[in-house]
C-alpha cells in the first residue's frame, strides 16, 4: 500500500486552495494563480512541492551503480551538478523519472507523487553486492522550487539542484513553515504547471502513459544519454534513434480562449476538418491557463499528423506547435 506523503503545513496559509489529483497535499493556488505566475516569472517567491517523493542513495558505489540502471550518464557526475534521468522497462517504456544531484557523499533525488515506493522496491531489488544504501527521505525532507532569477538565500547545509528553470531545495520538512514566512510570496502548483507547459517540459504521469518511449516527448539528450553503456530498455532507445521514428510526438497547443472549461487529461485530439466525430489522433496530456498566452496545453498525437493542420480538442479549436519533430 502506498504511504501518503504528509500534507503540507502551508495549506493553512491565507487563501490556500488545496490541489487535487496527482498534486494533492499542497496548494493549487493562494488566491490568484495569474499573480503567482507573474511573480515566478519575475524571480520572486517559491513553490511548495513537498508532496513529491525524496529518495537518497549513499555509499561508495552509488554513482557507478546508478549509472547501470539509469538512462543518464552519472558515473562521473560532479558534486552539485543536476541531472535528469529515467528508468525504462525492458521494452523501452518510461517507468520512472528522477531529478537528482550528488552532494559529494549522497545522491538526492525527487520523484513524482505516488511513485516512490515502486521505485524504491526496484532499486532495492538491484542492489546485489554493490556498496549502496537506498533510503526514503520523504517524511524528513520537502522539495521547494525557487524560480530562475530568485535571490532568496539557501539555508546552510541544504542540498540544492540548480537547473535552467530555477533551484530545487531539499529542505528539512520541519523548516518549511519558517522558510515560507521569510521567503514568500508562495505560488501554487497551478502557476508552476502553467510555466512548465509553456516551456514544453513533459511530466511523468501527465505526458506519459504505459507505452511512452523517451523519443515521443523530447527527452533524448536531456534525460537519455546516447553514448553511455547498457541499461534496461537501451535497445529500444538505440533502434528508434538510429533506424526509425517514434509512433507519437508531443505538441504544444494554443486553445480557443472563448471556452470556459479546460479540457481534461485524455480529451481526444482530432483534425478540425474531420469535426468532433472524426478519427482520434491523440489526446491532451496537460491543459492550463497562462497569464499571457491564455489556455494552452500539451498533447500526444500520432507522428504523421501534419504539423500545420488545425486541430480540435473535444470541441475546442486548437493550433499546434511541434515540440518533437515528426
Amino acid at each position: 500500500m502506498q504511504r501518503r506523503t504528509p500534507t503540507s503545513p502551508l495549506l493553512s496559509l491565507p487563501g490556500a486552495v488545496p490541489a487535487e489529483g496527482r498534486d494533492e497535499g499542497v496548494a493549487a493556488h493562494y488566491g490568484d494563480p495569474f499573480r503567482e505566475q507573474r511573480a515566478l516569472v519575475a524571480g520572486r517567491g517559491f513553490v511548495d512541492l513537498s508532496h513529491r517523493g525524496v529518495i537518497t542513495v549513499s555509499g561508495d558505489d552509488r554513482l557507478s551503480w546508478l549509472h547501470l540502471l539509469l538512462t543518464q550518464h552519472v558515473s562521473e557526475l560532479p558534486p552539485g551538478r543536476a541531472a535528469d534521468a529515467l528508468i525504462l522497462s525492458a521494452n523501452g517504456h518510461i517507468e520512472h523519472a528522477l531529478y537528482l544531484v550528488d552532494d559529494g557523499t549522497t545522491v538526492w533525488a525527487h520523484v513524482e507523487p505516488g511513485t516512490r515506493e515502486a521505485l524504491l522496491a526496484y532499486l532495492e531489488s538491484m542492489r546485489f553486492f554493490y556498496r549502496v544504501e537506498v533510503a526514503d527521505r520523504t517524511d524528513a525532507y520537502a522539495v521547494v522550487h525557487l524560480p530562475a532569477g530568485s535571490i532568496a538565500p539557501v539555508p546552510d547545509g541544504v542540498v540544492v539542484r540548480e537547473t535552467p528553470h530555477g533551484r530545487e531545495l531539499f529542505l528539512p520538512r520541519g523548516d518549511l513553515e519558517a522558510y515560507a514566512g521569510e521567503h514568500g510570496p508562495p505560488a501554487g502548483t497551478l502557476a508552476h504547471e502553467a510555466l512548465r507547459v509553456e516551456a514544453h517540459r513533459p511530466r511523468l504521469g501527465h505526458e506519459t502513459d504505459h507505452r511512452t518511449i523517451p523519443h515521443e516527448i523530447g527527452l533524448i539528450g536531456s534525460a537519455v544519454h546516447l553514448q553511455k553503456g547498457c541499461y534496461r530498455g537501451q535497445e529500444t532507445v538505440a533502434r528508434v534513434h538510429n533506424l526509425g521514428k517514434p509512433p507519437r510526438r508531443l505538441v504544444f497547443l494554443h486553445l480557443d480562449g472563448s471556452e470556459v472549461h479546460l479540457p481534461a487529461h485524455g480529451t481526444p485530439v482530432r483534425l478540425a476538418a474531420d469535426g468532433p466525430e472524426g478519427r482520434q489522433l491523440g489526446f491532451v496530456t496537460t491543459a492550463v491557463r497562462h497569464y499571457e498566452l491564455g489556455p494552452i496545453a500539451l498533447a500526444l498525437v500520432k507522428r504523421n499528423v501534419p504539423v500545420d493542420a488545425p486541430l480540435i480538442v473535444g470541441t475546442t479549436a486548437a493550433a499546434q506547435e511541434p515540440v518533437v519533430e515528426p
Side-chain angles (χ1 to χ4, degrees):
M1 182 176 179
Q2 176 68 41
R3 292 176 57 197
R4 287 182 61 87
T5 301
T7 299
S8 174
L10 303 192
L11 284 173
S12 64
L13 291 178
V17 175
E20 299 177 347
R22 292 186 178 94
D23 289 330
E24 182 182 3
V26 296
H29 63 86
Y30 297 87
D32 190 342
F34 287 166
R35 176 187 57 78
E36 294 164 25
Q37 286 183 46
R38 293 187 183 96
L40 293 177
V41 170
R44 301 192 306 271
F46 68 93
V47 183
D48 173 16
L49 299 178
S50 61
H51 61 314
R52 295 184 65 82
V54 176
I55 66 169
T56 59
V57 181
S58 56
D60 292 343
D61 294 338
R62 66 190 183 282
L63 292 176
S64 59
W65 177 68
L66 286 170
H67 186 79
L68 299 173
L69 306 178
L70 305 180
T71 57
Q72 187 59 270
H73 196 300
V74 297
S75 60
E76 300 167 1
L77 186 68
R81 180 180 295 176
D84 298 351
L86 308 174
I87 290 177
L88 306 181
S89 72
N91 293 323
H93 301 139
I94 299 173
E95 292 190 343
H96 293 285
L98 297 84
Y99 303 89
L100 54 88
V101 65
D102 186 76
D103 68 3
T105 62
T106 301
V107 173
W108 294 74
H110 64 83
V111 299
E112 285 294 330
T115 67
R116 74 182 193 275
E117 290 204 343
L119 173 59
L120 285 163
Y122 172 70
L123 293 177
E124 286 289 349
S125 74
M126 300 301 290
R127 282 180 58 191
F128 302 119
F129 55 84
Y130 291 94
R131 296 170 296 175
V132 295
E133 294 293 333
V134 181
D136 182 355
R137 308 299 297 277
T138 308
D139 288 343
Y141 288 88
V143 180
V144 172
H145 169 79
L146 298 179
S150 171
I151 60 172
V154 175
D156 292 342
V158 169
V159 176
V160 180
R161 263 178 44 92
E162 295 275 359
T163 80
H165 308 286
R167 288 177 289 172
E168 296 161 357
L169 280 56
F170 293 90
L171 189 73
R173 191 171 286 273
D175 296 344
L176 185 57
E177 285 185 276
Y179 189 87
E182 295 175 4
H183 304 297
T189 56
L190 289 181
H192 191 253
E193 283 289 278
L195 299 182
R196 176 183 73 81
V197 171
E198 178 195 16
H200 304 168
R201 292 188 289 130
R203 182 178 170 189
L204 182 75
H206 291 244
E207 281 63 57
T208 67
D209 58 19
H210 67 283
R211 59 192 179 98
T212 304
I213 60 176
H215 316 66
E216 294 179 320
I217 57 174
L219 293 181
I220 301 299
S222 61
V224 179
H225 195 288
L226 292 174
Q227 278 76 50
K228 63 160 289 185
C230 291
Y231 55 87
R232 190 172 69 174
Q234 184 193 28
E235 294 83 359
T236 297
V237 169
R239 182 170 64 252
V240 174
H241 180 73
N242 294 320
L243 301 176
K245 295 283 188 177
R248 303 178 296 181
R249 60 184 179 88
L250 190 66
V251 296
F252 177 77
L253 300 178
H254 292 272
L255 303 175
D256 180 0
S258 65
E259 296 288 343
V260 175
H261 300 290
L262 288 171
H265 176 88
T267 300
V269 175
R270 300 177 170 92
L271 291 177
D274 294 343
E277 303 303 320
R279 183 166 61 98
Q280 180 174 342
L281 300 175
F283 62 93
V284 165
T285 58
T286 307
V288 296
R289 296 191 189 278
H290 189 274
Y291 76 106
E292 284 188 336
L293 300 176
I296 56 176
L298 294 172
L300 271 176
V301 301
K302 294 182 181 294
R303 177 173 56 85
N304 59 2
V305 172
V307 296
D308 57 350
L311 304 174
I312 53 171
V313 175
T315 59
T316 301
Q320 61 166 313
E321 294 180 11
V323 176
V324 174
E325 296 295 330

